[in-house]
Amino acid sequence: MPERPSRVVLVGFMGSGKSAVGRVLARRLGYRFEDMDRRIEERAGRTIAEIFREEGEEAFRTLEREEALAVSRLPGRVVASGGGAFAVAETRTILQQGAITVWLRCDLERILSRVPADGSRPLAGNRDIMRALLAQREPWYRTADVAVDASAGSPREVAERIVGLIEGRTRKRTSARR
Ligand code: S3P
């Protein structure tokens, strides 16, 4: 039996489907699902929007790094990271440890159609801001172990693509060791 990674960490921009795909993928792999943003909210007893408003982005990034460390100790997990987590060096390094990282690549049009302008995502500004933020972060998302097209298809279809990519990589690693 080829070895499976202990964790699958989903990275990518807001609205790329990390949480929806993550839930399906976890079921498919028999892993548990962890949503970093929800964990941060539970621990802080506040919403992400409140944390940004009351303490600012820096404080949120600290909570995010701490949460990355907490999930990096949990085996058998599919982790949905927040859209900015992988763009912060220290958090990225923590998330990479013992995990396969998967970039949910998604075009801006799709992202804009999925992200509600309800204030729940403090960094979801207008189209130009989103485009600039995406361009700034893409080089980091690109460093993920594998990339999957998340612009088209249901969460279930995207999850199946990821399973194929993970199995392909695991097979390659196992046969290279022989
Ligand atoms: C953020 C994305 C959000 C959340 C926070 C900051 C970002 O997560 O972590 O609002 O910097 O892009 P999602 O990618 O789950 O929306």
Side-chain angles (χ1 to χ4, degrees), residues 6 24 49 84-85 97 118 121 140 165 176:
S6 184
V24 179
Q97 279 161 18
D118 60 0
R121 287 177 169 97
W140 302 118
L165 289 166

PDB file of all heavy atoms in Angstrom, residues 6 24 49 84-85 97 118 121 140 165 176:
ATOM      1  N   SER A   6       0.074  12.639   5.893  1.00  0.00           N
ATOM      2  CA  SER A   6      -0.676  12.754   7.129  1.00  0.00           C
ATOM      3  C   SER A   6      -1.734  13.855   7.048  1.00  0.00           C
ATOM      4  O   SER A   6      -2.794  13.764   7.637  1.00  0.00           O
ATOM      5  CB  SER A   6       0.317  13.054   8.249  1.00  0.00           C
ATOM      6  OG  SER A   6      -0.331  13.079   9.472  1.00  0.00           O
ATOM      7  N   VAL A  24     -15.532  17.622   1.294  1.00  0.00           N
ATOM      8  CA  VAL A  24     -15.776  16.449   0.445  1.00  0.00           C
ATOM      9  C   VAL A  24     -14.515  15.570   0.397  1.00  0.00           C
ATOM     10  O   VAL A  24     -14.581  14.346   0.514  1.00  0.00           O
ATOM     11  CB  VAL A  24     -16.153  16.883  -0.998  1.00  0.00           C
ATOM     12  CG1 VAL A  24     -16.380  15.685  -1.885  1.00  0.00           C
ATOM     13  CG2 VAL A  24     -17.369  17.786  -0.982  1.00  0.00           C
ATOM     14  N   ALA A  49     -14.077  39.100  10.801  1.00  0.00           N
ATOM     15  CA  ALA A  49     -14.316  40.532  10.561  1.00  0.00           C
ATOM     16  C   ALA A  49     -14.105  41.325  11.849  1.00  0.00           C
ATOM     17  O   ALA A  49     -13.505  42.409  11.830  1.00  0.00           O
ATOM     18  CB  ALA A  49     -15.729  40.740  10.016  1.00  0.00           C
ATOM     19  N   GLY A  84      -4.821  34.078   2.903  1.00  0.00           N
ATOM     20  CA  GLY A  84      -3.551  34.787   3.049  1.00  0.00           C
ATOM     21  C   GLY A  84      -2.481  33.965   3.749  1.00  0.00           C
ATOM     22  O   GLY A  84      -1.314  34.365   3.789  1.00  0.00           O
ATOM     23  N   ALA A  85      -2.869  32.828   4.308  1.00  0.00           N
ATOM     24  CA  ALA A  85      -1.956  32.059   5.162  1.00  0.00           C
ATOM     25  C   ALA A  85      -0.674  31.643   4.431  1.00  0.00           C
ATOM     26  O   ALA A  85       0.431  31.778   4.959  1.00  0.00           O
ATOM     27  CB  ALA A  85      -2.679  30.830   5.712  1.00  0.00           C
ATOM     28  N   GLN A  97       4.842  21.332   6.627  1.00  0.00           N
ATOM     29  CA  GLN A  97       5.464  20.218   7.355  1.00  0.00           C
ATOM     30  C   GLN A  97       4.584  18.974   7.420  1.00  0.00           C
ATOM     31  O   GLN A  97       3.472  19.022   7.923  1.00  0.00           O
ATOM     32  CB  GLN A  97       5.845  20.667   8.769  1.00  0.00           C
ATOM     33  CG  GLN A  97       7.172  21.435   8.766  1.00  0.00           C
ATOM     34  CD  GLN A  97       7.357  22.268  10.011  1.00  0.00           C
ATOM     35  OE1 GLN A  97       6.680  22.034  11.019  1.00  0.00           O
ATOM     36  NE2 GLN A  97       8.233  23.252   9.950  1.00  0.00           N
ATOM     37  N   ASP A 118     -20.262  41.036   1.690  1.00  0.00           N
ATOM     38  CA  ASP A 118     -21.049  41.231   2.913  1.00  0.00           C
ATOM     39  C   ASP A 118     -20.182  41.619   4.118  1.00  0.00           C
ATOM     40  O   ASP A 118     -20.645  41.627   5.252  1.00  0.00           O
ATOM     41  CB  ASP A 118     -21.844  39.947   3.222  1.00  0.00           C
ATOM     42  CG  ASP A 118     -20.918  38.751   3.432  1.00  0.00           C
ATOM     43  OD1 ASP A 118     -19.674  38.929   3.333  1.00  0.00           O
ATOM     44  OD2 ASP A 118     -21.425  37.655   3.691  1.00  0.00           O
ATOM     45  N   ARG A 121     -15.409  38.953   4.702  1.00  0.00           N
ATOM     46  CA  ARG A 121     -13.990  38.827   4.345  1.00  0.00           C
ATOM     47  C   ARG A 121     -13.407  40.242   4.224  1.00  0.00           C
ATOM     48  O   ARG A 121     -13.570  40.907   3.203  1.00  0.00           O
ATOM     49  CB  ARG A 121     -13.830  38.087   3.029  1.00  0.00           C
ATOM     50  CG  ARG A 121     -14.106  36.582   3.139  1.00  0.00           C
ATOM     51  CD  ARG A 121     -13.987  35.996   1.760  1.00  0.00           C
ATOM     52  NE  ARG A 121     -13.972  34.554   1.735  1.00  0.00           N
ATOM     53  CZ  ARG A 121     -15.040  33.799   1.497  1.00  0.00           C
ATOM     54  NH1 ARG A 121     -16.222  34.370   1.347  1.00  0.00           N
ATOM     55  NH2 ARG A 121     -14.918  32.493   1.419  1.00  0.00           N
ATOM     56  N   TRP A 140       3.316  32.510  -4.359  1.00  0.00           N
ATOM     57  CA  TRP A 140       3.382  31.631  -3.177  1.00  0.00           C
ATOM     58  C   TRP A 140       2.489  30.419  -3.364  1.00  0.00           C
ATOM     59  O   TRP A 140       2.874  29.294  -3.029  1.00  0.00           O
ATOM     60  CB  TRP A 140       3.033  32.400  -1.909  1.00  0.00           C
ATOM     61  CG  TRP A 140       3.943  33.554  -1.704  1.00  0.00           C
ATOM     62  CD1 TRP A 140       3.624  34.881  -1.663  1.00  0.00           C
ATOM     63  CD2 TRP A 140       5.373  33.497  -1.559  1.00  0.00           C
ATOM     64  NE1 TRP A 140       4.740  35.638  -1.512  1.00  0.00           N
ATOM     65  CE2 TRP A 140       5.832  34.826  -1.436  1.00  0.00           C
ATOM     66  CE3 TRP A 140       6.304  32.453  -1.525  1.00  0.00           C
ATOM     67  CZ2 TRP A 140       7.176  35.130  -1.278  1.00  0.00           C
ATOM     68  CZ3 TRP A 140       7.651  32.766  -1.375  1.00  0.00           C
ATOM     69  CH2 TRP A 140       8.067  34.085  -1.248  1.00  0.00           C
ATOM     70  N   LEU A 165      -4.363  13.364  -8.121  1.00  0.00           N
ATOM     71  CA  LEU A 165      -3.025  13.984  -8.040  1.00  0.00           C
ATOM     72  C   LEU A 165      -2.235  13.427  -6.852  1.00  0.00           C
ATOM     73  O   LEU A 165      -1.044  13.146  -6.963  1.00  0.00           O
ATOM     74  CB  LEU A 165      -3.161  15.505  -7.897  1.00  0.00           C
ATOM     75  CG  LEU A 165      -3.647  16.242  -9.140  1.00  0.00           C
ATOM     76  CD1 LEU A 165      -4.075  17.661  -8.794  1.00  0.00           C
ATOM     77  CD2 LEU A 165      -2.547  16.275 -10.202  1.00  0.00           C
ATOM     78  N   ALA A 176      10.037   5.428  -6.849  1.00  0.00           N
ATOM     79  CA  ALA A 176      11.394   6.002  -6.883  1.00  0.00           C
ATOM     80  C   ALA A 176      12.252   5.396  -5.789  1.00  0.00           C
ATOM     81  O   ALA A 176      13.467   5.296  -5.917  1.00  0.00           O
ATOM     82  CB  ALA A 176      11.319   7.507  -6.728  1.00  0.00           C
TER      83      ALA A 176
END
